[in-house]
Amino acid sequence: MDSEKIDYLARLWIMEAAAKIKQSFKETLDIDVKSGRNDLVTNMDKETEAFFVKQIKEHFPDHRLFGEEGMAADVTDLNGVVWILDPIDGTLNFVEQQRDFAISLAVYEDGVGRLAYIYDVSRDELYFGEKGKGATVNGRTIPKLDPTVDLEDALLIANLSVTRKFPTMWEAVKASRGLRLHGAASLEYMDVATGRAGAYLSANLAPWDIAAGKIIVEELGGIVTRINGEKINMLEKGSSIVAAPKIHQTLLDNYLP
Ligand code: 2AM
Ligand code: CA
């Protein structure tokens, strides 16, 4: 794949989409409930995804898009080049707080994550990762994770579905420096990528929530698996644990079944 062309256009499209999202703060959002009252979709989620679908079709007719709002053809395999998009990750934050939400975009080639972009819209921070080449935030290199940091020296991010399912996680929280939660998986992945947190656990995430974050975190030496330690299949929903290497081992060995 032509990484340079993809990179140039992906950045352009992300900035254009983000500008429209910021503009929408001044307008009335059209909000629909999806699976429940805390699972929302707005016109901006749909418009942003439609924008990417249109651009990719025009500039890369042989690429496919796998997105949360299902606006492109169904994706049931990762052959060729597949763009995995969450147009707005953290929709509830977008609606309630106008902060802590992101555009998450990843480019996979034959199942391998190549390029990743997570744009924290309200902070104007663009996280970028490229397979084999490391990761940056707004162009500054993100240092590799410290492999010696263990649970007692780190903050933990976990949502209540994790502590409900695995009550032993409360012991992990006690052993850590404390508990945090923002409500946007891609940004929580970036908390781990930058060392602001030692680990993030979630019981049920979709491929578009984690596709970009996984590439970036792995470039920095972090570990991403299902909560049972298994490898993630990027076509399926499921649990996720992302952590600095020692903390990943400690959590699996001592606090998770
Ligand atoms: P979203 O805002 O794109 O829906 C909140 O804890 C995090 O989990 C967000 O990243 C949110 O993404 C994601 N999330 C919320 N409900 C979900 C669901 N039913 N399936 C998968 N991911 C979900
Ligand atoms: Ca979303």
Side-chain angles (χ1 to χ4, degrees):
M1 62 182 217
D2 185 346
S3 295
E4 255 175 58
K5 181 179 172 192
I6 293 174
D7 181 61
Y8 176 78
L9 289 172
R11 288 169 191 267
L12 206 68
W13 298 338
I14 287 167
M15 290 308 159
E16 196 174 329
K20 287 186 206 147
I21 291 170
K22 285 178 193 165
Q23 181 64 28
S24 77
F25 290 156
K26 299 182 193 132
E27 294 150 13
T28 311
L29 279 177
D30 180 2
I31 303 168
D32 286 326
V33 170
K34 289 210 276 193
S35 65
R37 67 187 174 81
N38 51 10
D39 187 12
L40 306 179
V41 62
T42 74
N43 55 312
M44 289 317 298
D45 299 66
K46 293 179 197 162
E47 282 170 31
T48 303
E49 185 163 315
F51 168 73
F52 277 92
V53 171
K54 179 174 173 286
Q55 297 291 354
I56 291 166
K57 213 176 260 173
E58 190 177 320
H59 294 268
F60 302 100
D62 56 332
H63 294 187
R64 293 180 293 156
L65 181 132
F66 185 28
E68 170 155 28
E69 311 310 335
M71 298 206 156
D74 277 357
V75 169
T76 53
D77 65 75
L78 291 177
N79 299 332
V81 180
V82 179
W83 298 58
I84 305 181
L85 173 73
D86 192 342
I88 298 182
D89 180 39
T91 298
L92 207 50
N93 292 346
F94 169 61
V95 170
E96 298 283 347
Q97 306 184 323
Q98 291 86 52
R99 65 166 81 176
D100 279 327
F101 65 93
I103 298 171
S104 174
L105 177 66
V107 183
Y108 279 66
E109 184 178 30
D110 293 327
V112 179
R114 295 279 176 207
L115 296 165
Y117 305 85
I118 293 173
Y119 188 56
D120 179 334
V121 177
S122 73
R123 292 185 182 85
D124 273 321
E125 286 177 337
L126 178 65
Y127 295 89
F128 167 67
E130 180 168 8
K131 177 98 180 160
K133 295 190 179 169
T136 58
V137 54
N138 285 353
R140 295 186 308 275
T141 300
I142 305 174
K144 294 252 187 249
L145 290 172
D146 181 346
T148 67
V149 171
D150 209 343
L151 187 59
E152 61 265 25
D153 297 315
L155 290 168
L156 251 188
I157 308 175
N159 61 24
L160 292 177
S161 61
V162 170
T163 46
R164 248 196 316 266
K165 214 162 166 181
F166 308 108
T168 47
M169 274 305 296
W170 286 118
E171 299 307 315
V173 171
K174 279 189 227 158
S176 76
R177 281 196 166 158
L179 184 64
R180 295 291 181 274
L181 185 62
H182 305 296
S186 62
L187 295 179
E188 271 141 350
Y189 267 64
M190 293 307 93
D191 281 343
V192 175
T194 54
R196 292 190 291 262
Y200 163 56
L201 297 92
S202 181
N204 190 28
L205 291 175
W208 42 83
D209 294 323
I210 63 172
K214 182 170 182 286
I215 295 172
I216 294 172
V217 168
E218 287 179 345
E219 274 307 304
L220 298 166
I223 312 287
V224 181
T225 63
R226 298 292 185 205
I227 282 180
N228 62 9
E230 279 173 16
K231 195 169 167 265
I232 290 177
N233 171 347
M234 218 21 103
L235 289 166
E236 290 168 2
K237 289 193 178 189
S239 68
S240 137
I241 167 171
V242 49
K246 197 163 188 182
I247 298 175
H248 188 271
Q249 199 62 51
T250 297
L251 288 171
L252 285 189
D253 287 351
N254 301 320
Y255 300 100
L256 292 165

